[in-house]
Amino acid sequence: MPCRCRADSATAAASRRAATWPARNTAATPSCRATAAHLWYRPFGRWFANARIEAGEVFVNNRISVPDTILFRAGGDGSVRGYDYRTLGLTRNGAVVGGQVLLTGSVELEHPLSAKLPALLEAAFVDAGNAADRWGDIRPVFGYGVGVHYRSPIGPLRFDVAYGEAVKDWRLHISVGITF
């Protein structure tokens, strides 16, 4: 589980305080961003099942001092398909901002389109997740759809069409490389 800890001040004193986190009444507000993911893959005859769950939290004394790039957002090819990249999170003054916690998950079934082309697969999936400031505030949104995946010699190519239930719209997702 990767954990990146940082202090928002470049001074040596702030660095020493960050090492003894949590700091008390300091100018620097240290934070720690932790994420964990579990991936599962299982063949069932000519069928393949994939599952993914990811959770993360930013530990901080003062949320106001945490840059948005450290906070979590969800949405996109490797997160919740059916939504644009990083468009899921908290809404403040009409804009989506990051949250202190993240929870996303996906379940997918794949099957070869034909016995002559076992590297070309059809897929069906359901994704869910969101970001919030507290675990109790997470309201997952759902995306579901179908796709065509090709296991090429240079890596998987994925063409997925997903419906974002919260935005009531379809979205095309094209990705290269492993997302599970």
Side-chain angles (χ1 to χ4, degrees), residues 49-85:
N50 303 296
R52 170 190 54 82
I53 187 164
E54 180 180 12
E57 184 167 359
V58 175
F59 300 94
V60 65
N61 289 337
N62 181 2
R63 185 199 190 284
I64 294 172
S65 66
V66 179
D68 189 62
T69 55
I70 301 296
L71 297 171
F72 293 103
R73 293 191 204 183
D77 299 340
S79 177
V80 184
R81 289 168 284 190
Y83 301 88
D84 200 4
Y85 179 67

Side-chain angles (χ1 to χ4, degrees), residues 7-177:
D8 292 331
S9 173
T11 66
S15 296
R16 282 192 299 276
R17 282 192 295 266
T20 59
W21 187 78
R24 292 184 205 110
N25 299 324
T26 64
T29 302
S31 62
C32 180
R33 185 180 203 260
T35 59
H38 182 73
L39 311 171
W40 180 80
Y41 173 82
R42 177 91 188 241
F44 294 101
R46 292 179 36 90
W47 291 84
F48 303 94
N50 303 296
R52 170 190 54 82
I53 187 164
E54 180 180 12
E57 184 167 359
V58 175
F59 300 94
V60 65
N61 289 337
N62 181 2
R63 185 199 190 284
I64 294 172
S65 66
V66 179
D68 189 62
T69 55
I70 301 296
L71 297 171
F72 293 103
R73 293 191 204 183
D77 299 340
S79 177
V80 184
R81 289 168 284 190
Y83 301 88
D84 200 4
Y85 179 67
R86 292 178 47 92
T87 57
L88 300 175
L90 303 165
T91 303
R92 297 230 168 97
N93 298 324
V96 176
V97 297
Q100 285 183 243
V101 296
L102 170 80
L103 184 62
T104 63
S106 181
V107 175
E108 182 174 277
L109 286 173
E110 295 177 309
H111 184 267
L113 281 170
S114 79
K116 292 182 181 182
L117 292 170
L120 189 62
L121 302 129
E122 58 188 334
F125 59 86
V126 176
D127 297 345
N130 213 335
D133 268 340
R134 295 180 316 171
W135 290 108
D137 294 338
I138 287 188
R139 302 292 178 260
V141 297
F142 292 87
Y144 35 86
V146 295
V148 175
H149 302 170
Y150 175 61
R151 294 182 181 163
S152 78
I154 61 166
L157 304 173
R158 302 164 58 93
F159 299 90
D160 295 321
V161 177
Y163 181 76
E165 191 174 292
V167 294
K168 296 180 179 13
D169 198 11
W170 291 92
R171 182 165 189 81
L172 175 64
H173 295 273
I174 301 171
S175 60
V176 178

